Amino acid sequence: MPKPRETAVYTHGHHESVLRSHTWRTAANSAAHLLGSLEPGMRILDVGCGPGTITADLAALVPHGHVTGVDRAPEIVEVARATAAARGAANTDFAVADVHALDHPDDTFCVVHAHQVLQHVGDPVRALREMRRVVRPGGIVAVRDSDYGAMTWYPASPGMDDWLALYRRVARANGGEPDAGRRLKAWALEAGFTDITATSSTWTFSTPAEREWWSGLWAERTLESTYAGRAVEGGHATAERLRAVSAAWRDWGERPEGWFAVLHGEILCRV
């Protein structure tokens, strides 16, 4: 029987405005729920490693262990390799892989980590089962995903409301689930995990520099990324509507009272 393969389409693509966000991520700001469970000799699989910044951080935290980073996109795997090399993370390796059919034997890793992955896959329960398969007895599957429906901001903005409704529609049309954060525990239970610690945490953007950065990358992503193309090609938005949404992001970023919070669901599943 052939192995299952990914059926969803990655909504964001790898435009510079997307990578600007991904390379900002660290183990501290994106995997804090896992860090207290790490030990120096662990072997870790980082699923959906993206440009490798979290992967390299994890490698530094397990200096006598090893971290394997995998991603579906060959071009981004090369970026991750370069990131690890620049950081001197010799205890890493990288490969192209699909989380629904990992190329590793059962019971290979002490930890499997996935950040902002399950919201983009076609079958998150199957993905969790596959992550569980490659974890050794006593190991951990650690997952963190944002929840778009729970994102909130101030001041109110009809243009930002339109952004959220549009993004959720496009992501679901691509086969993903943008409100993944709230579903992680339920998916883990369905995947067969019984020892689950479910938590949450946020990213908050409020200072002038934070607002400029966060609003700028979304304003650009709305006009120039793969997401923008899919919004138009899928009949979800016109170019004019995207320009209005982009302008709303710029306007929010210039407001001194501006505040934006991204809620994340998190799970630590012990095998």
mmCIF file of all heavy atoms in Angstrom, residues 20-35 46 49 51-58 61 83 87 113 115-116 144 201 203 213 264:
data_model
loop_
_atom_site.group_PDB
_atom_site.id
_atom_site.type_symbol
_atom_site.label_atom_id
_atom_site.label_comp_id
_atom_site.label_asym_id
_atom_site.label_seq_id
_atom_site.Cartn_x
_atom_site.Cartn_y
_atom_site.Cartn_z
ATOM 1 N N ARG A 20 10.736 36.570 6.712
ATOM 2 C CA ARG A 20 11.073 37.572 7.726
ATOM 3 C C ARG A 20 10.434 37.215 9.065
ATOM 4 O O ARG A 20 11.029 37.409 10.126
ATOM 5 C CB ARG A 20 10.590 38.943 7.270
ATOM 6 C CG ARG A 20 11.221 40.122 8.015
ATOM 7 C CD ARG A 20 10.577 41.437 7.582
ATOM 8 N NE ARG A 20 10.343 41.499 6.150
ATOM 9 C CZ ARG A 20 9.414 42.273 5.589
ATOM 10 N NH1 ARG A 20 8.601 43.013 6.336
ATOM 11 N NH2 ARG A 20 9.259 42.279 4.284
ATOM 12 N N SER A 21 9.235 36.684 9.006
ATOM 13 C CA SER A 21 8.565 36.223 10.216
ATOM 14 C C SER A 21 9.183 34.925 10.728
ATOM 15 O O SER A 21 9.474 34.784 11.920
ATOM 16 C CB SER A 21 7.073 36.019 9.936
ATOM 17 O OG SER A 21 6.430 35.378 11.012
ATOM 18 N N HIS A 22 9.415 33.974 9.829
ATOM 19 C CA HIS A 22 9.913 32.672 10.242
ATOM 20 C C HIS A 22 11.313 32.753 10.859
ATOM 21 O O HIS A 22 11.616 32.031 11.816
ATOM 22 C CB HIS A 22 9.922 31.718 9.055
ATOM 23 C CG HIS A 22 8.552 31.348 8.577
ATOM 24 N ND1 HIS A 22 8.334 30.463 7.545
ATOM 25 C CD2 HIS A 22 7.322 31.734 9.001
ATOM 26 C CE1 HIS A 22 7.027 30.315 7.348
ATOM 27 N NE2 HIS A 22 6.401 31.093 8.219
ATOM 28 N N THR A 23 12.179 33.608 10.315
ATOM 29 C CA THR A 23 13.540 33.697 10.852
ATOM 30 C C THR A 23 13.589 34.451 12.178
ATOM 31 O O THR A 23 14.597 34.390 12.887
ATOM 32 C CB THR A 23 14.485 34.381 9.843
ATOM 33 O OG1 THR A 23 13.957 35.669 9.477
ATOM 34 C CG2 THR A 23 14.645 33.539 8.591
ATOM 35 N N TRP A 24 12.524 35.138 12.536
ATOM 36 C CA TRP A 24 12.422 35.800 13.846
ATOM 37 C C TRP A 24 12.188 34.790 14.955
ATOM 38 O O TRP A 24 12.489 35.035 16.125
ATOM 39 C CB TRP A 24 11.276 36.815 13.779
ATOM 40 C CG TRP A 24 10.800 37.352 15.095
ATOM 41 C CD1 TRP A 24 11.345 38.373 15.819
ATOM 42 C CD2 TRP A 24 9.638 36.912 15.830
ATOM 43 N NE1 TRP A 24 10.609 38.603 16.962
ATOM 44 C CE2 TRP A 24 9.557 37.723 16.994
ATOM 45 C CE3 TRP A 24 8.667 35.938 15.625
ATOM 46 C CZ2 TRP A 24 8.533 37.564 17.936
ATOM 47 C CZ3 TRP A 24 7.658 35.779 16.562
ATOM 48 C CH2 TRP A 24 7.607 36.594 17.712
ATOM 49 N N ARG A 25 11.683 33.633 14.619
ATOM 50 C CA ARG A 25 11.298 32.641 15.624
ATOM 51 C C ARG A 25 12.528 31.994 16.255
ATOM 52 O O ARG A 25 13.487 31.645 15.569
ATOM 53 C CB ARG A 25 10.414 31.571 14.988
ATOM 54 C CG ARG A 25 9.114 32.123 14.444
ATOM 55 C CD ARG A 25 8.353 31.075 13.651
ATOM 56 N NE ARG A 25 7.149 31.648 13.057
ATOM 57 C CZ ARG A 25 6.374 31.026 12.186
ATOM 58 N NH1 ARG A 25 6.694 29.803 11.795
ATOM 59 N NH2 ARG A 25 5.292 31.610 11.698
ATOM 60 N N THR A 26 12.452 31.819 17.558
ATOM 61 C CA THR A 26 13.502 31.172 18.324
ATOM 62 C C THR A 26 12.881 30.092 19.198
ATOM 63 O O THR A 26 11.663 30.039 19.375
ATOM 64 C CB THR A 26 14.230 32.184 19.219
ATOM 65 O OG1 THR A 26 13.300 32.673 20.203
ATOM 66 C CG2 THR A 26 14.770 33.366 18.414
ATOM 67 N N ALA A 27 13.726 29.264 19.789
ATOM 68 C CA ALA A 27 13.210 28.293 20.754
ATOM 69 C C ALA A 27 12.568 29.013 21.935
ATOM 70 O O ALA A 27 11.554 28.562 22.465
ATOM 71 C CB ALA A 27 14.325 27.370 21.218
ATOM 72 N N ALA A 28 13.127 30.152 22.336
ATOM 73 C CA ALA A 28 12.595 30.876 23.489
ATOM 74 C C ALA A 28 11.219 31.456 23.211
ATOM 75 O O ALA A 28 10.322 31.382 24.060
ATOM 76 C CB ALA A 28 13.561 31.979 23.905
ATOM 77 N N ASN A 29 11.005 32.052 22.024
ATOM 78 C CA ASN A 29 9.715 32.694 21.775
ATOM 79 C C ASN A 29 8.698 31.776 21.096
ATOM 80 O O ASN A 29 7.546 32.165 20.912
ATOM 81 C CB ASN A 29 9.884 34.005 20.981
ATOM 82 C CG ASN A 29 10.334 33.818 19.541
ATOM 83 O OD1 ASN A 29 10.091 32.807 18.909
ATOM 84 N ND2 ASN A 29 11.016 34.834 19.007
ATOM 85 N N SER A 30 9.119 30.557 20.734
ATOM 86 C CA SER A 30 8.217 29.682 19.988
ATOM 87 C C SER A 30 8.153 28.245 20.499
ATOM 88 O O SER A 30 7.315 27.474 20.022
ATOM 89 C CB SER A 30 8.630 29.651 18.510
ATOM 90 O OG SER A 30 8.553 30.945 17.932
ATOM 91 N N ALA A 31 9.005 27.868 21.428
ATOM 92 C CA ALA A 31 8.997 26.482 21.919
ATOM 93 C C ALA A 31 9.246 26.423 23.418
ATOM 94 O O ALA A 31 9.753 25.416 23.923
ATOM 95 C CB ALA A 31 10.045 25.651 21.183
ATOM 96 N N ALA A 32 8.871 27.469 24.143
ATOM 97 C CA ALA A 32 9.139 27.506 25.585
ATOM 98 C C ALA A 32 8.461 26.365 26.328
ATOM 99 O O ALA A 32 8.960 25.896 27.357
ATOM 100 C CB ALA A 32 8.703 28.847 26.158
ATOM 101 N N HIS A 33 7.320 25.894 25.819
ATOM 102 C CA HIS A 33 6.600 24.802 26.489
ATOM 103 C C HIS A 33 7.380 23.493 26.486
ATOM 104 O O HIS A 33 7.119 22.602 27.289
ATOM 105 C CB HIS A 33 5.234 24.585 25.826
ATOM 106 C CG HIS A 33 5.297 24.127 24.406
ATOM 107 N ND1 HIS A 33 5.879 24.875 23.405
ATOM 108 C CD2 HIS A 33 4.851 22.989 23.807
ATOM 109 C CE1 HIS A 33 5.779 24.224 22.262
ATOM 110 N NE2 HIS A 33 5.168 23.076 22.482
ATOM 111 N N LEU A 34 8.365 23.372 25.590
ATOM 112 C CA LEU A 34 9.171 22.165 25.469
ATOM 113 C C LEU A 34 10.489 22.251 26.225
ATOM 114 O O LEU A 34 11.011 21.228 26.675
ATOM 115 C CB LEU A 34 9.452 21.891 23.976
ATOM 116 C CG LEU A 34 10.503 20.823 23.639
ATOM 117 C CD1 LEU A 34 10.054 19.445 24.145
ATOM 118 C CD2 LEU A 34 10.765 20.792 22.140
ATOM 119 N N LEU A 35 11.044 23.433 26.382
ATOM 120 C CA LEU A 35 12.437 23.575 26.782
ATOM 121 C C LEU A 35 12.757 22.922 28.127
ATOM 122 O O LEU A 35 13.844 22.368 28.310
ATOM 123 C CB LEU A 35 12.833 25.055 26.804
ATOM 124 C CG LEU A 35 12.651 25.798 25.467
ATOM 125 C CD1 LEU A 35 13.275 27.179 25.534
ATOM 126 C CD2 LEU A 35 13.217 24.984 24.310
ATOM 127 N N ASP A 46 12.731 17.883 14.204
ATOM 128 C CA ASP A 46 12.020 19.161 14.090
ATOM 129 C C ASP A 46 11.250 19.148 12.772
ATOM 130 O O ASP A 46 11.835 19.331 11.696
ATOM 131 C CB ASP A 46 13.019 20.321 14.135
ATOM 132 C CG ASP A 46 12.344 21.670 14.217
ATOM 133 O OD1 ASP A 46 11.156 21.718 14.602
ATOM 134 O OD2 ASP A 46 13.001 22.687 13.908
ATOM 135 N N CYS A 49 10.669 22.472 9.713
ATOM 136 C CA CYS A 49 11.735 23.287 10.317
ATOM 137 C C CYS A 49 11.864 24.674 9.709
ATOM 138 O O CYS A 49 12.480 25.557 10.307
ATOM 139 C CB CYS A 49 13.066 22.557 10.227
ATOM 140 S SG CYS A 49 13.685 22.319 8.536
ATOM 141 N N PRO A 51 13.216 27.871 7.983
ATOM 142 C CA PRO A 51 14.592 28.330 7.769
ATOM 143 C C PRO A 51 15.581 27.873 8.829
ATOM 144 O O PRO A 51 16.759 28.235 8.769
ATOM 145 C CB PRO A 51 14.452 29.850 7.758
ATOM 146 C CG PRO A 51 13.247 30.130 8.583
ATOM 147 C CD PRO A 51 12.312 28.989 8.311
ATOM 148 N N GLY A 52 15.136 27.105 9.815
ATOM 149 C CA GLY A 52 16.074 26.444 10.714
ATOM 150 C C GLY A 52 16.490 27.200 11.954
ATOM 151 O O GLY A 52 17.381 26.735 12.677
ATOM 152 N N THR A 53 15.865 28.327 12.255
ATOM 153 C CA THR A 53 16.291 29.083 13.433
ATOM 154 C C THR A 53 15.945 28.353 14.733
ATOM 155 O O THR A 53 16.771 28.296 15.660
ATOM 156 C CB THR A 53 15.658 30.484 13.437
ATOM 157 O OG1 THR A 53 14.230 30.363 13.269
ATOM 158 C CG2 THR A 53 16.224 31.341 12.316
ATOM 159 N N ILE A 54 14.749 27.778 14.816
ATOM 160 C CA ILE A 54 14.398 27.006 16.005
ATOM 161 C C ILE A 54 15.236 25.735 16.051
ATOM 162 O O ILE A 54 15.712 25.326 17.117
ATOM 163 C CB ILE A 54 12.901 26.679 16.026
ATOM 164 C CG1 ILE A 54 12.064 27.963 16.107
ATOM 165 C CG2 ILE A 54 12.557 25.764 17.204
ATOM 166 C CD1 ILE A 54 10.564 27.733 16.013
ATOM 167 N N THR A 55 15.442 25.092 14.909
ATOM 168 C CA THR A 55 16.250 23.875 14.847
ATOM 169 C C THR A 55 17.634 24.105 15.431
ATOM 170 O O THR A 55 18.128 23.310 16.241
ATOM 171 C CB THR A 55 16.385 23.402 13.390
ATOM 172 O OG1 THR A 55 15.148 23.548 12.708
ATOM 173 C CG2 THR A 55 16.861 21.962 13.325
ATOM 174 N N ALA A 56 18.278 25.197 15.020
ATOM 175 C CA ALA A 56 19.619 25.492 15.515
ATOM 176 C C ALA A 56 19.605 25.780 17.013
ATOM 177 O O ALA A 56 20.533 25.389 17.739
ATOM 178 C CB ALA A 56 20.202 26.673 14.750
ATOM 179 N N ASP A 57 18.568 26.456 17.486
ATOM 180 C CA ASP A 57 18.447 26.698 18.926
ATOM 181 C C ASP A 57 18.313 25.380 19.691
ATOM 182 O O ASP A 57 18.940 25.193 20.744
ATOM 183 C CB ASP A 57 17.221 27.570 19.224
ATOM 184 C CG ASP A 57 17.454 29.036 18.968
ATOM 185 O OD1 ASP A 57 18.607 29.420 18.663
ATOM 186 O OD2 ASP A 57 16.482 29.817 19.067
ATOM 187 N N LEU A 58 17.481 24.476 19.185
ATOM 188 C CA LEU A 58 17.315 23.183 19.845
ATOM 189 C C LEU A 58 18.633 22.415 19.862
ATOM 190 O O LEU A 58 18.972 21.751 20.859
ATOM 191 C CB LEU A 58 16.237 22.363 19.143
ATOM 192 C CG LEU A 58 14.810 22.908 19.239
ATOM 193 C CD1 LEU A 58 13.863 22.055 18.385
ATOM 194 C CD2 LEU A 58 14.316 22.959 20.677
ATOM 195 N N LEU A 61 20.782 23.359 22.644
ATOM 196 C CA LEU A 61 20.275 22.911 23.945
ATOM 197 C C LEU A 61 20.481 21.415 24.183
ATOM 198 O O LEU A 61 20.266 20.932 25.296
ATOM 199 C CB LEU A 61 18.787 23.265 24.064
ATOM 200 C CG LEU A 61 18.479 24.771 24.097
ATOM 201 C CD1 LEU A 61 16.988 25.018 23.921
ATOM 202 C CD2 LEU A 61 18.970 25.382 25.401
ATOM 203 N N THR A 83 21.518 28.128 7.688
ATOM 204 C CA THR A 83 21.342 28.710 9.019
ATOM 205 C C THR A 83 22.134 27.922 10.052
ATOM 206 O O THR A 83 22.853 28.494 10.888
ATOM 207 C CB THR A 83 19.855 28.718 9.409
ATOM 208 O OG1 THR A 83 19.127 29.536 8.498
ATOM 209 C CG2 THR A 83 19.660 29.241 10.826
ATOM 210 N N ARG A 87 25.484 29.075 12.266
ATOM 211 C CA ARG A 87 25.431 29.039 13.728
ATOM 212 C C ARG A 87 26.417 28.028 14.319
ATOM 213 O O ARG A 87 26.504 27.897 15.542
ATOM 214 C CB ARG A 87 24.001 28.698 14.169
ATOM 215 C CG ARG A 87 22.960 29.753 13.779
ATOM 216 C CD ARG A 87 22.718 30.761 14.861
ATOM 217 N NE ARG A 87 22.143 30.121 16.020
ATOM 218 C CZ ARG A 87 20.835 29.937 16.213
ATOM 219 N NH1 ARG A 87 19.968 30.362 15.297
ATOM 220 N NH2 ARG A 87 20.398 29.348 17.299
ATOM 221 N N HIS A 113 9.229 17.636 17.470
ATOM 222 C CA HIS A 113 8.741 19.002 17.666
ATOM 223 C C HIS A 113 8.157 19.521 16.359
ATOM 224 O O HIS A 113 8.706 19.281 15.276
ATOM 225 C CB HIS A 113 9.905 19.910 18.100
ATOM 226 C CG HIS A 113 9.578 21.365 18.065
ATOM 227 N ND1 HIS A 113 9.941 22.182 17.006
ATOM 228 C CD2 HIS A 113 8.915 22.155 18.948
ATOM 229 C CE1 HIS A 113 9.519 23.409 17.254
ATOM 230 N NE2 HIS A 113 8.899 23.417 18.406
ATOM 231 N N HIS A 115 6.278 23.222 14.990
ATOM 232 C CA HIS A 115 5.788 24.571 15.285
ATOM 233 C C HIS A 115 5.105 25.147 14.053
ATOM 234 O O HIS A 115 5.704 25.254 12.986
ATOM 235 C CB HIS A 115 6.961 25.481 15.698
ATOM 236 C CG HIS A 115 6.520 26.851 16.113
ATOM 237 N ND1 HIS A 115 6.591 27.938 15.268
ATOM 238 C CD2 HIS A 115 5.988 27.304 17.265
ATOM 239 C CE1 HIS A 115 6.140 29.007 15.907
ATOM 240 N NE2 HIS A 115 5.766 28.644 17.113
ATOM 241 N N GLN A 116 3.828 25.519 14.201
ATOM 242 C CA GLN A 116 3.028 26.093 13.108
ATOM 243 C C GLN A 116 2.987 25.152 11.905
ATOM 244 O O GLN A 116 3.140 25.576 10.762
ATOM 245 C CB GLN A 116 3.592 27.467 12.669
ATOM 246 C CG GLN A 116 3.884 28.421 13.796
ATOM 247 C CD GLN A 116 2.666 28.971 14.511
ATOM 248 O OE1 GLN A 116 1.612 28.347 14.495
ATOM 249 N NE2 GLN A 116 2.794 30.109 15.131
ATOM 250 N N ARG A 144 2.982 23.202 18.668
ATOM 251 C CA ARG A 144 2.459 24.546 18.947
ATOM 252 C C ARG A 144 1.904 25.122 17.652
ATOM 253 O O ARG A 144 2.574 25.090 16.618
ATOM 254 C CB ARG A 144 3.563 25.453 19.492
ATOM 255 C CG ARG A 144 3.102 26.854 19.923
ATOM 256 C CD ARG A 144 4.295 27.584 20.541
ATOM 257 N NE ARG A 144 3.953 28.816 21.220
ATOM 258 C CZ ARG A 144 4.231 30.046 20.772
ATOM 259 N NH1 ARG A 144 4.838 30.207 19.597
ATOM 260 N NH2 ARG A 144 3.907 31.114 21.463
ATOM 261 N N SER A 201 0.075 30.147 24.937
ATOM 262 C CA SER A 201 0.951 31.300 25.119
ATOM 263 C C SER A 201 0.697 32.265 23.958
ATOM 264 O O SER A 201 0.004 31.922 22.998
ATOM 265 C CB SER A 201 2.423 30.887 25.175
ATOM 266 O OG SER A 201 2.808 30.263 23.959
ATOM 267 N N TRP A 203 2.149 35.657 21.341
ATOM 268 C CA TRP A 203 3.057 36.701 20.872
ATOM 269 C C TRP A 203 2.263 38.002 20.945
ATOM 270 O O TRP A 203 1.092 38.044 20.546
ATOM 271 C CB TRP A 203 3.460 36.484 19.412
ATOM 272 C CG TRP A 203 4.324 35.305 19.145
ATOM 273 C CD1 TRP A 203 5.193 34.683 19.988
ATOM 274 C CD2 TRP A 203 4.406 34.601 17.881
ATOM 275 N NE1 TRP A 203 5.816 33.642 19.360
ATOM 276 C CE2 TRP A 203 5.359 33.565 18.067
ATOM 277 C CE3 TRP A 203 3.794 34.749 16.657
ATOM 278 C CZ2 TRP A 203 5.704 32.682 17.040
ATOM 279 C CZ3 TRP A 203 4.121 33.873 15.640
ATOM 280 C CH2 TRP A 203 5.070 32.860 15.819
ATOM 281 N N TRP A 213 7.082 46.233 12.298
ATOM 282 C CA TRP A 213 7.525 44.946 11.749
ATOM 283 C C TRP A 213 6.345 44.046 11.425
ATOM 284 O O TRP A 213 6.227 43.520 10.316
ATOM 285 C CB TRP A 213 8.449 44.272 12.765
ATOM 286 C CG TRP A 213 8.975 42.946 12.334
ATOM 287 C CD1 TRP A 213 9.983 42.706 11.451
ATOM 288 C CD2 TRP A 213 8.527 41.659 12.787
ATOM 289 N NE1 TRP A 213 10.188 41.345 11.314
ATOM 290 C CE2 TRP A 213 9.318 40.684 12.122
ATOM 291 C CE3 TRP A 213 7.549 41.236 13.693
ATOM 292 C CZ2 TRP A 213 9.142 39.317 12.333
ATOM 293 C CZ3 TRP A 213 7.374 39.872 13.908
ATOM 294 C CH2 TRP A 213 8.164 38.935 13.230
ATOM 295 N N HIS A 264 -1.577 31.031 20.874
ATOM 296 C CA HIS A 264 -1.108 29.716 20.416
ATOM 297 C C HIS A 264 -1.606 28.629 21.360
ATOM 298 O O HIS A 264 -1.521 28.778 22.579
ATOM 299 C CB HIS A 264 0.427 29.642 20.406
ATOM 300 C CG HIS A 264 1.083 30.574 19.442
ATOM 301 N ND1 HIS A 264 1.354 31.886 19.735
ATOM 302 C CD2 HIS A 264 1.499 30.370 18.166
ATOM 303 C CE1 HIS A 264 1.937 32.451 18.688
ATOM 304 N NE2 HIS A 264 2.025 31.550 17.732
#
